Amino acid sequence: MKVSIFTEEQTQTARYAKALSHPVRIYILELLSKQACCYSGDLSDELPIAKSTLSQHLKELKEAGLIQGEIEAPKIKYCLNKTAWHDARQLIETLFNKEIQTNDSCSTEK
């Protein structure tokens, strides 16, 4: 049995970071964050990318838990998963709020 050296928080932070690692996904999240309710239009009308590419980006966001969707033929409704969004924000803020230990001999700043 292999023991993981990574905490659940580290694993989840990485999952969220991966989902946030593409400008199309950031655009989708920003679009959904501006909606009072679920977005039920065709997101491919909003983005100049192939539907198959859009599908992959939505899949990545959904697998990370940042969005949720439900099929109401012929459309799919997409919403931010507010619980996961809040969790992602806390985890990423925690990461960036950690004190950085510096060693002047390692610094690349001039």
Side-chain angles (χ1 to χ4, degrees):
M1 175 197 271
K2 189 173 183 178
V3 178
S4 176
I5 63 167
F6 306 112
T7 66
E8 179 60 34
E9 289 81 13
Q10 290 167 329
T11 302
Q12 190 61 40
T13 302
R15 188 173 294 127
Y16 290 140
K18 180 182 178 199
L20 295 170
S21 70
H22 197 284
V24 167
R25 294 183 211 136
I26 299 297
Y27 181 90
I28 292 167
L29 291 169
E30 287 177 346
L31 178 70
L32 295 179
S33 73
K34 294 175 186 174
Q35 305 296 312
C37 59
C38 292
Y39 180 88
S40 60
D42 187 350
L43 287 172
S44 63
D45 292 341
E46 298 283 335
L47 292 158
I49 60 175
K51 287 188 179 196
S52 60
T53 303
L54 175 59
S55 178
Q56 288 300 309
H57 287 300
L58 292 168
K59 179 181 175 189
E60 191 72 45
L61 291 169
K62 203 168 182 182
E63 285 178 356
L66 292 172
I67 66 170
Q68 50 198 8
E70 58 183 69
I71 298 171
E72 288 188 5
K75 297 185 179 190
I76 300 176
K77 285 183 165 182
Y78 292 103
C79 304
L80 288 180
N81 179 335
K82 293 178 183 177
T83 302
W85 184 251
H86 183 62
D87 185 41
R89 181 178 176 179
Q90 285 186 310
L91 287 169
I92 292 170
E93 281 181 1
T94 298
L95 174 65
F96 282 105
N97 286 331
K98 291 187 187 242
E99 193 65 34
I100 298 173
Q101 301 298 315
T102 59
N103 180 339
D104 288 337
S105 64
C106 294
S107 179
T108 58
E109 294 180 16
K110 295 187 181 194

